Amino acid sequence: MTATLPETTAPADVTAVPESTASADVTALLADVAPCACSGCATGTGHADLLARLATAPGGRTAVVAADRTLTFGELRAEAAAVAARLTALGVGPESVVALCLPRGAGLATALIGTLTAGAAYLPVDPALPAERRAYLLADSGADLVVVQDADGEDTAADTRTVTLAELTAPHAGQAAPYRPVPVTADTLAYVIYTSGSTGRPKGVEIGRGAVSLLLAELEGVGAATGEGRRVGWNASPSFDASVQQWVRLCRGDTLVMIDEETRRDPALLAAFVDAQGLTDLDITPSHADPLLDLLTADGGPRPLTLLIGGEAISPALWDRLAAAHTSGLLRALNVYGPTECTVDATAGWIDRPGQPHIGTVLPGLSMRLLDEKLAPVAPGETGELYLAGPRLARGYRNRPALTAERFVADPAGDAPGVRAYRTGDRCRLLPDGRLAYLGRADGQVKLRGHRIELPEIEAALTRQDGVAEAAVVLGEDAAGSPALLAYHRGGDADALRTALAATLPAYMLPSAFVAVDRFATTPSGKLDRAALPTRAETPAPAQATPAGGAGLTGPAEELIARVWTQVLGAASIGPDDNFFKLGGHSLLAIKLVSRVRAELSVALPVKAVYAHPRLRDLAAHIEELTAARDA
């Protein structure tokens, strides 16, 4: 059962809280918050550290709303101070890395802000990740310690110190610690976030404090964060850099509303949540915005909602729908683009008119170059690889100097020695109006449902399995025509490979189809010919193939589900013992499935039911139970 948050039809915190309600010691607190020591601040053109702004938020204003509890800014600062004091006592300080292996809740926000208050950097480790991957992140990062919810709740690296959230938040010796953030500079490490790796292992991106401060200022400058006391949904997984764009809003005094997993992956629940919580800002991928948009605009009424859409390319059809909603005043939509290595968002553009999708213009903290293979600027209107330079670039990849040198190169347009530029690997073209059109990748990296994936990492995981001599993974289409990862392997059993990969890779990196091949085609030079691999999955053979509505199915519910599965999965025949996910189903198709069931049976089937009952017969029985309860 999903934990529910208190409903809010007219958020009291949308308007600014009078200054008289702020904590009386805010002025004193500011004296203890060291300003950023970057050259920009020294000349009056820079920025203050994030926590200097957090200290000014009125203490009585709501800071965090979660299923477990709600925190005011005064309570958040007090708990962050307790966390920082305990971390400091454990030897944590600037350049230390604290891994946060915590579920989505108020405690995650407290631990994150507390880690930054101690001057340290945080490393998000999603508890939902396979144990092997969690252990790798801790070992590769060299994390000083890991924070967990319960002492026995998570498997962690044996040589990494572990502390529970309760131990951190308890005031030491019964004394409340004052909120005094440790002095930092713009170069002090703020966080390490891991992305998929082309070498077969994830790589940690190191981001400095000054870059995060600039990100917040630039979001405000582009109009993505306006006014005071806005209510921002925390939608992204903490393991992805899009989450930074969300929690950073705390530092300007906005309220952060945690969205639980069940709600975020079910469009109907999410739309209701947006209204019940009075959200004004929601970061979301195009894949999830597509089914959500109709629900948000169905009543034709305007919402004070800004959608920040990023993570993957927006289709022309969705772009035009968003533009229409924007023009009609129903909501605002901003397309944001950026690699993790450039601190979340590098460009932004309002989706305010139909036509060709674009990623907007480069934000002030970065500058762009469109270059050809020889690092020469391309002619206006020509396609080139996008290079980004400026103070929001990452420090590099943690413990990977060679890879850092490969991707962070000398800026071809730099006026001084030592200036770096990041090779994004993205192909772009400058439009006549000065905006950028995104034209895809120039390497083996892909984006799928908002996730950045290096195909070689999945291929490496496949070839580590017994019996697999060769493997190749492509981004193509599943049997229903939806974007999907397709795995081709020489040797190995498909079911065994699916199980093995599920134990080592995140769910978003699992192929939808595993196809055994006798041999791989090669190019004249002897390399794998990826162009020869099919990019459309064939319809999987069901375990007990029976025409929809045939003798293998019993009852109207099973026949209906078989028919819907046939439509959603593109399968020719479905049996009662078939498994939705073994037939190529994934999160996006699960959303389509529940939408069809709701439309045809008027049953509010949650998306989580598909995961709980993946076998057709079990799902049909569950639907019959829901129908009986509805009609009782």
Side-chain angles (χ1 to χ4, degrees):
M1 182 176 181
T2 305
T4 56
L5 303 182
E7 292 195 0
T8 307
T9 55
D13 295 318
V14 167
T15 56
V17 177
E19 193 60 37
S20 59
T21 66
S23 300
D25 60 349
V26 163
T27 302
L29 290 174
L30 284 175
D32 295 315
V33 180
C36 173
C38 70
S39 58
C41 286
T43 59
T45 60
H47 55 280
D49 184 64
L50 291 163
L51 299 186
R53 297 189 64 181
L54 181 66
T56 66
R61 179 183 291 169
T62 300
V64 179
V65 178
D68 52 349
R69 61 195 178 118
T70 296
L71 294 173
T72 65
F73 274 97
E75 292 168 334
L76 174 63
R77 286 193 289 260
E79 291 196 12
V83 169
R86 181 61 178 151
L87 289 176
T88 301
L90 292 171
V92 167
E95 298 305 312
S96 299
V97 174
V98 176
L100 304 181
C101 189
L102 298 169
R104 205 178 292 243
L108 174 60
T110 294
L112 193 158
I113 298 299
T115 298
L116 294 174
T117 302
Y122 78 93
L123 165 70
V125 180
D126 192 337
L129 289 174
E132 180 180 324
R133 196 172 184 91
R134 295 199 305 269
Y136 170 80
L137 297 182
L138 294 175
D140 186 75
S141 66
D144 294 86
L145 59 82
V146 56
V147 183
V148 298
Q149 187 75 19
D150 303 303
D152 301 322
E154 304 293 342
D155 296 322
T156 57
D159 56 350
T160 304
R161 289 187 298 172
T162 300
V163 61
T164 66
L165 182 62
E167 291 176 282
L168 288 184
T169 53
H172 184 61
Q175 299 297 318
Y179 178 69
R180 291 195 177 96
V182 169
V184 296
T185 71
D187 293 329
T188 303
L189 189 63
Y191 63 81
V192 180
I193 284 183
Y194 275 74
T195 67
S196 184
S198 59
T199 60
R201 291 291 187 182
K203 53 188 184 293
V205 180
E206 296 184 324
I207 299 293
R209 297 276 284 246
V212 185
S213 296
L214 279 173
L215 170 68
L216 178 58
E218 290 168 22
L219 288 174
E220 292 174 313
V222 79
T226 59
E228 290 192 47
R230 295 180 67 83
R231 294 178 68 86
V232 182
W234 186 333
N235 186 33
S237 165
S239 293
F240 297 101
D241 68 327
S243 64
V244 176
Q245 183 200 83
Q246 291 148 55
W247 69 254
V248 76
R249 299 286 294 273
L250 280 171
C251 299
R252 69 183 302 272
D254 291 336
T255 298
L256 191 62
V257 183
M258 299 283 192
I259 306 176
D260 64 83
E261 284 298 323
E262 181 183 349
T263 298
R264 67 187 294 267
R265 69 187 185 190
D266 190 318
L269 293 178
L270 183 55
F273 187 93
V274 168
D275 286 341
Q277 288 299 318
L279 296 190
T280 59
D281 301 81
L282 179 65
D283 187 278
I284 195 168
T285 66
S287 295
H288 289 145
D290 195 356
L292 181 68
L293 184 59
D294 286 341
L295 296 169
L296 290 176
T297 58
D299 58 7
R303 283 175 171 77
L305 178 66
T306 297
L307 294 178
L308 288 88
I309 303 182
E312 60 189 348
I314 300 178
S315 69
L318 177 58
W319 180 276
D320 288 348
R321 290 167 56 209
L322 289 165
H326 188 120
T327 303
S328 301
L330 301 180
L331 50 78
R332 300 194 308 165
L334 182 71
N335 191 21
V336 289
Y337 154 88
T340 304
E341 291 83 349
C342 299
T343 318
V344 191
D345 296 325
T347 73
W350 290 104
I351 308 174
D352 52 7
R353 59 178 183 266
Q356 180 180 2
H358 60 78
I359 58 174
T361 56
V362 176
L363 293 172
L366 295 164
S367 57
M368 72 159 200
R369 296 89 170 87
L370 288 180
L371 307 177
D372 61 18
E373 295 82 356
K374 298 180 180 179
L375 300 185
V378 300
E382 295 294 321
T383 299
E385 182 177 353
L386 179 63
Y387 286 66
L388 293 167
R392 281 212 286 112
L393 259 59
R395 301 192 332 185
Y397 299 113
R398 190 164 183 81
N399 302 322
R400 303 282 182 86
L403 185 59
T404 298
E406 176 186 336
R407 301 303 298 185
F408 294 85
V409 300
D411 184 5
D415 297 327
V419 177
R420 302 178 306 152
Y422 174 69
R423 296 181 55 190
T424 69
D426 290 324
R427 297 181 303 113
C428 295
R429 178 170 60 88
L430 196 62
L431 299 174
D433 62 3
R435 302 181 187 189
L436 282 169
Y438 175 80
L439 303 175
R441 294 290 300 175
D443 54 21
Q445 185 188 112
V446 300
K447 283 288 190 77
L448 179 63
R449 292 186 285 280
H451 301 299
R452 170 174 157 178
I453 300 171
E454 295 279 1
L455 298 179
E457 183 177 352
I458 307 175
E459 294 168 350
L462 281 167
T463 55
R464 284 196 293 267
Q465 307 308 316
D466 291 340
V468 178
E470 289 182 276
V473 180
V474 298
L475 177 62
E477 294 181 347
D478 58 25
S482 298
L485 296 173
L486 311 178
Y488 295 88
H489 55 96
R490 185 165 66 86
D493 174 75
D495 286 342
L497 292 177
R498 182 180 286 107
T499 300
L501 262 61
T504 60
L505 297 177
Y508 66 87
M509 293 181 70
L510 298 180
S512 294
F514 290 79
V515 183
V517 297
D518 294 327
R519 65 181 182 86
F520 284 103
T522 58
T523 64
S525 63
K527 296 182 179 180
L528 171 67
D529 186 0
R530 292 183 178 274
L533 294 173
T535 56
R536 178 68 182 264
E538 295 181 2
T539 301
Q544 296 181 15
T546 307
L553 302 167
T554 58
E558 287 190 12
E559 293 181 0
L560 171 69
I561 295 302
R563 177 163 54 82
V564 173
W565 280 23
T566 299
Q567 297 167 347
V568 171
L569 295 171
S573 57
I574 297 290
D577 292 317
D578 285 322
N579 184 296
F580 180 78
F581 296 102
K582 288 189 176 182
L583 291 178
H586 48 70
S587 59
L588 189 57
L589 289 181
I591 290 173
K592 292 182 179 180
L593 171 61
V594 300
S595 296
R596 293 281 183 88
V597 171
R598 283 174 177 152
E600 299 204 25
L601 289 181
S602 299
V603 173
L605 180 70
V607 172
K608 71 172 183 178
V610 183
Y611 290 84
H613 309 286
R615 195 174 68 139
L616 185 146
R617 177 159 287 163
D618 297 336
L619 183 61
H622 181 68
I623 291 174
E624 288 177 337
E625 293 174 359
L626 293 176
T627 302
R630 180 199 63 192
D631 297 338

